[in-house]
Amino acid sequence: MSDPAPAERYARARESAELDRSHPITASFAASQRFTLDPFQLAGCRALEEGRSVLVAAPTGAGKTIVGEFAVHLAMREPSDKAFYTTPIKALSNQKFRELQDVYGVDEVGLLTGDTNINGNARIVVMTTEVLRNMLYADSPALRGLRYVVMDEVHYLADRFRGAVWEEIIIHLPPSVKLISLSATVSNAEEFGDWLDTVRGDTEVIVSETRPVPLEQHVLVRGDLLPLFDDRAGIATAQVNQELMRIRSVKGPNFENNRRAQEMSSARNRGYEAPRRRPNRGGKRPVRSANVQRIERLDRPDVVELLARANLLPAIFFIFSRVGCDAAVQQVRRAGVRLTSQEERLEIRAIVEHRTRTLMDEDLAVLGYWDWLENLERGVASHHAGLLPAFKEVVEELFQRKLVKAVFATETLALGINMPARTVVLEKLEKFNGEARVAITSGEYTQLTGRAGRRGIDVEGHAVIQWTEGLDPQAVAALASRRTYPLNSSFRPTYNMAVNLIDQFGRPRSRQILESSFAQFQADRSVVGLARQVREQEESLSGYEKAMTCDRGDFTEYSAIRRDLSDLEKLNRKDANASRSTRDKRHREIDALRRRMLRHPCHQCPDRENHARWAERYWRLKRTIDKMRQQIEARTGTVARIFDRVVDVLTELDYVRVDEDGATTLTPAGRTMRRIYGERDLLVAESLRRELWKDLDAASLAALACCIVYEPRRDDGGPSERNLPRGAFRTAFSDTLELWQRLDDLERAHHLPGSEPVAAGLAQAMSSWARGATLDRVLDEADMAAGDFVRWSKQTIDLLDQLSIVADAPVASTARKALEAVRRGIVAYSAV
């Protein structure tokens, strides 16, 4: 691209100077940054300076958090203003907390993540979204002076389990608070922005499709990185590289040998010598395609070395399986690959020892610490949810410092953690979704490859797709080219939400608030489209009706008789095994319809069959229109109808009462439920009210709380009764399970979806842990990775914390003891 002409440069400079004069705070902030801000970043900052809320949708790694940081900057200019920075996961909150501390100092920045409370009254507080939602319902004093709320990764709003929290916050934040919504690239950003504008007031929608670091797309075939797109065709056409298309044609048997010889020759010319390895590691895996005699796929160590030769490290290999990630690291290690220098290895060891110094030696041995450390010193690591949080954080830090060069990760790494790479490798374009292997979506492809390219470091990022059997280059190109990632609401009223809304606003106002949700906004928009289609189709229906008009009589009536007769005859033929009485009844109905048809005046019309053809079209279209009308009726007021069903359940259980005038108020039980958050809020509240858990000791209560939050794997058959904790736990668990069954029946009777049964798969392990058992014993009982056990332990702690606040004695004091018993060892570890 040629440099702009002098006149154009002058015009730009003049325009920039004028904008600087009109937005001096933005200009000053931009000048203090390490790099020149992009137009979309400046647009977001200027909108905030003008007093508007903003929605910024931009690709991963584009730097949209700068706009959120500018909101914090604005808050700190006024002595009494506050800014909250919310993130969807604790790891992101910890990361942002440290970053903001570096800028504003430790006294000005706080952190609230449920299990961590640091300087919570600071003027800048980083928190998970659930913490802010709970503060809003509790009308926390910490909300006073709040001027800005940053919602990072706001596209989590679509999350099936947690997405409703984002909508609750957006709806309930005071009108004076400006909202900064930061989202990955979504295809309906304008629709989401329109809703924000409706519920929050003046909101600027800023969409950027431009990656700050261009992405080069490759397919790895036989040791060669072939471009996915033909550069000669130009970006606008996005034509698939024809060499990839030709690979499917027949190649001679010597093709692979020639290719390998060429590769080795090229490597020697570049002065690279591959490390010595055992001559046979199991050989190459042949990948067979439709018209190819033989395509050899490189093993992972070979791919790592190829990227190293091409100066394409550090790289993230996305493997959609934890076992696959760990196996990949072992493969690379067994192959003798070492990507680090002696100085780097010393630095890695020093960082690891410092970050894990609080973990006990016996626990480190159980966690495979020494193998993990050796892998890190080689420059390779895995990253997935089963990894201990402390280990994951070390991997992230070492990767950011360019000390770890190759990370094998599941897709959870793509969810906002700051780990950009030079290259992203996708071994497959499908993953297991819990039920079947499914192709990844274009949105997932964009999210994963968005990690490639480090701003300020790389001129370009690289996405590498490994050739697999049946790979279609055209399909890959379509996946890489599309940007279809719609943001769809997952909002639904919960029991906790209902009692909080009724307590603050009363029932009529609560319904109005829920009608303003993004879920209803989207439903209403779809209704508008359906209504338009109905109007258009009704015009056609009217035309069909005219075309079948008969001067002998009402042809609509006549055609309806013919349709009923035809349908009944088809049913009679299809249901040959019907009882004698059923068949006789149908024959009588068929005879009656046939007599009516023959007596009808239209039956004698000479143009009858021509009319009938138009009638068939009429009835087919009418059936379609009727279905559309049913959809419209179902979608209108959907959220409020679900709210009414939730309130009906709460009324039947005496959490709310409706007086003679129709006013709805909370009972004492309803006021308790205001502080119970989670998927099983009703079950917890009812268990407390019925005193099902009053006889439990601390370890047993920890085990039961774990049963409430634990979600077993699909293949988890659950423990046998003899593997459950002994004593009072078994009675309490049985009573809780029976209560769940009654509540589930009640919910389904009120046309609510119900819930999954309470699962005791982790009960014995959690009881043992709370009683002080060693880590190796507990992980053996749990039959799960350390990272998973820590995650469920943290959720157990969250529930125990709630019980310690809302429960009566003795459960409240027992919950406090249980909480402390669980929060030890690897569970107590915190990086901040």
Side-chain angles (χ1 to χ4, degrees), residues 605-669:
C605 176
D607 209 16
R608 182 186 68 198
E609 292 310 311
N610 184 43
H611 294 331
R613 281 192 290 273
W614 286 107
E616 185 61 32
R617 295 174 189 172
Y618 171 88
W619 288 110
R620 193 182 304 127
L621 184 59
K622 188 175 186 304
R623 184 179 295 171
T624 301
I625 292 173
D626 289 344
K627 284 183 180 178
M628 287 183 182
R629 287 194 177 120
Q630 289 172 4
Q631 286 179 291
I632 290 172
E633 185 178 343
R635 294 182 189 183
T636 304
T638 306
V639 178
R641 281 204 304 275
I642 295 173
F643 172 73
D644 287 338
R645 294 170 191 165
V646 167
V647 174
D648 288 344
V649 170
L650 291 171
T651 303
E652 190 164 333
L653 292 171
D654 200 35
Y655 285 87
V656 301
R657 287 179 185 152
V658 183
D659 62 23
E660 294 177 356
D661 299 327
T664 306
T665 56
L666 300 187
T667 64

Side-chain angles (χ1 to χ4, degrees), residues 75 78-84 120-125 127 132 135-136 138-149 173-174 176-177:
E78 301 296 330
S80 60
D81 285 356
K82 287 183 178 179
F84 287 173
N121 293 316
R123 291 178 57 203
I124 307 167
V125 184
M127 61 185 70
L132 178 53
M135 290 170 71
L136 287 168
D139 195 22
S140 169
L143 297 170
R144 297 191 190 106
L146 181 62
R147 283 289 307 279
Y148 300 95
V149 167
L173 274 175
S176 58
V177 176

